[in-house]
Amino acid sequence: MTSTGLDHPLVRDYLRELDDAFAALPAGQASELREQIVAHLDDALRPGADDEEVAGVLRRLGPPGDLAAEAAAGAAPRGRTTGGRRRFRPHRLGRRAGALTIAAVAVAGLLAGYVVAAGTAAPLQAAPSASWWYARDWTRAVETSADGHDQTTVPIRFGQRQGFVITVYNPSRWTQTILGPGADFATPDGPYAQLSVGDSLNIRRGGGVFRPVSYVLPGTIPPHQIRALRVMWTSTACLERGSSQGIDELRVRVRVGWVTRTEVIRLNQAWYLLGLSQGRRCGFGPGA
Amino acid sequence: MTELRRGVLGPCVLALLELRPRFGLELVRDLADADGLLTSDGTVYPLLNRLRDAGLVTSQWRDDEGERARRYYSITKTGRESLTAFRAEWARFTATVGGVLNHDRPAPAVREGSQR
């Protein structure tokens, strides 16, 4: 098993601080930003980097609190733009109140109808085809079935990228756009992942790998069509030998018309990672 | 100067992406090469997400053989239009500020009774 820069204790400490700092951010925003920072560190740090090198990369990245503040600042409502204050003119209000009220009620009715229709659109569903993303995983996957529940399990490759791709069907007459992870989003490795949607569907026979398609986020799924949904992460879960953890649903943030909601996609099989490490230090205990 | 840097960082990101798509660290390094532009590497990512939310940038995963999957950022058509508009505005702005700072033109008179 190859070690990466993400294994370094300073990086682990930094990511823990990052999680604390991001706690106040919306889950989807925190998840995406964390994934970007992890990818940055993964690229910036060579395996076996020494303390000084790691500290330099982390220093240039900036304190986690500053990153959270920067993200929060961008999400805050914008202040008033230029153009001056509007005056309150009660006489105009009186003259137009009747017509405005009727128009407002009519528009509100139409909007409410639209929002209700969009909000009640059938949610996305998992379609049959699915696979671990990397050949190293799908060739070693163990499929099990018990009590009507299917499960696929692969060994965790600590510090390396793992993930899976499923197909998702949009049963509604609305275009649904996956915006990112929803609240309580989880992967077999934990709450953080890269989520992306294939812009077309191309299933390779045999391997079950979905290539070549471009994976994008936000990703659109037209009415009554199927698209690939890829979930990837860098495995950092600390799993004891023989223990495992996984998921059987995905919570994603989806835009339907003007409505944004969290949809729960029940997976056709549970996706699990299995701990295989022999004495690997996970960095959480006193002996780490 | 910090606020000025923050303000121009977005257009600079768009200008780099105008040349070709880049992944996160690549973008950070290119920005860091422009001395003094980047106060910390991490601030690029919230900015990228804001540009994406504004429709100026899009991202796409590439998973080339032998490489780890990376998210590449690209400029959108709207992003190009925004960049073009910013360039024109920036040229006027820098000319104006330069003129005042270097006394090339008289400072605007303060008008009595003017309101903010």
Side-chain angles (χ1 to χ4, degrees):
Chain A
M1 203 174 289
T2 308
S3 171
T4 76
L6 297 175
D7 292 339
H8 196 284
L10 289 176
V11 173
R12 288 181 168 280
D13 288 345
Y14 184 89
L15 291 178
R16 272 197 289 272
E17 286 179 33
L18 200 67
D19 290 340
D20 292 342
F22 284 1
L25 296 176
Q29 189 184 7
S31 173
E32 180 175 41
L33 203 47
R34 206 237 196 216
E35 167 262 303
Q36 289 168 310
I37 299 298
V38 168
H40 176 102
L41 291 169
D42 210 6
D43 277 329
L45 293 169
R46 60 180 180 79
D50 61 27
D51 290 357
E52 191 178 347
E53 189 177 342
V54 173
V57 168
L58 296 177
R59 192 169 50 248
R60 285 193 295 277
L61 201 48
D66 287 3
L67 295 187
E70 179 73 20
R78 297 195 182 282
R80 182 182 296 150
T81 55
T82 56
R85 234 175 256 180
R86 286 193 173 201
R87 287 185 188 169
F88 178 59
R89 296 187 172 100
H91 61 286
R92 290 192 181 180
L93 191 65
R95 278 207 304 271
R96 297 174 182 170
L100 284 175
T101 304
I102 293 169
V105 168
V107 170
L110 287 171
L111 283 176
Y114 177 88
V115 169
V116 167
T120 56
L124 300 172
Q125 302 169 356
S129 298
S131 170
W132 290 96
W133 178 255
Y134 290 105
R136 277 164 291 176
D137 289 325
W138 56 258
T139 54
R140 291 196 288 174
V142 175
E143 317 291 337
T144 55
S145 185
D147 300 329
H149 298 289
D150 297 329
Q151 178 174 319
T152 177
T153 307
V154 298
I156 188 169
R157 292 186 285 108
F158 193 86
Q160 297 181 40
R161 299 191 58 75
Q162 294 188 272
F164 59 82
V165 58
I166 63 171
T167 45
V168 175
Y169 174 61
N170 176 5
S172 74
R173 63 185 176 85
W174 296 80
T175 293
Q176 300 203 30
T177 303
I178 295 181
L179 302 174
D184 299 325
F185 179 81
T187 73
D189 187 63
Y192 300 107
Q194 301 155 349
L195 194 63
S196 51
V197 181
D199 62 358
S200 60
L201 190 63
N202 187 350
I203 304 175
R204 177 185 287 178
R205 293 175 62 189
V209 181
F210 303 76
R211 297 178 187 177
V213 283
S214 296
Y215 283 85
V216 295
L217 193 70
T220 297
I221 307 179
H224 307 296
Q225 291 202 25
I226 294 177
R227 289 287 183 274
L229 173 60
R230 192 172 69 167
V231 183
M232 300 192 73
W233 61 88
T234 300
S235 288
T236 55
C238 183
L239 295 177
E240 295 295 327
R241 186 176 188 180
S243 67
S244 63
Q245 66 181 41
I247 56 159
D248 59 4
E249 66 178 31
L250 284 177
R251 290 175 177 268
V252 294
R253 202 155 45 92
V254 178
R255 186 173 62 228
V256 188
W258 292 344
V259 176
T260 299
R261 63 188 189 183
T262 295
E263 294 186 11
V264 180
I265 302 174
R266 306 278 176 202
L267 302 173
N268 295 325
Q269 60 184 349
W271 300 79
Y272 268 74
L273 294 177
L274 176 68
L276 279 185
S277 57
Q278 298 181 13
R280 167 171 288 281
R281 295 186 304 171
C282 292
F284 298 115
Chain B
M1 286 304 285
T2 302
E3 287 304 312
L4 186 59
R5 275 195 207 100
R6 284 168 60 96
V8 299
L9 197 52
C12 289
V13 166
L14 293 179
L16 286 173
L17 296 180
E18 187 185 34
L19 299 174
R20 61 180 169 81
R22 285 169 162 83
F23 61 90
L25 182 65
E26 194 179 14
L27 194 54
V28 165
R29 285 183 172 159
D30 289 341
L31 287 168
D33 285 345
D35 191 32
L37 197 56
L38 207 55
T39 49
S40 68
D41 294 356
T43 56
V44 171
Y45 297 101
L47 171 65
L48 278 168
N49 295 342
R50 285 200 292 276
L51 293 174
R52 192 267 321 279
D53 292 345
L56 306 180
V57 159
T58 186
S59 66
Q60 179 176 325
W61 288 98
R62 282 194 204 164
D63 191 22
D64 302 327
E65 289 295 333
E67 294 276 339
R68 67 167 63 95
R70 286 193 175 109
R71 186 203 291 240
Y72 278 77
Y73 300 90
S74 313
I75 191 170
T76 63
K77 182 172 177 289
T78 310
R80 287 180 195 279
E81 291 167 358
S82 173
L83 181 60
T84 301
F86 180 83
R87 280 186 173 126
E89 187 64 30
W90 180 251
R92 280 193 294 273
F93 177 75
T94 51
T96 302
V97 173
V100 173
L101 290 178
N102 300 318
H103 307 298
D104 291 341
R105 66 179 69 175
V110 178
R111 286 176 293 179
E112 288 185 11
S114 62
Q115 291 181 332
R116 285 171 186 265

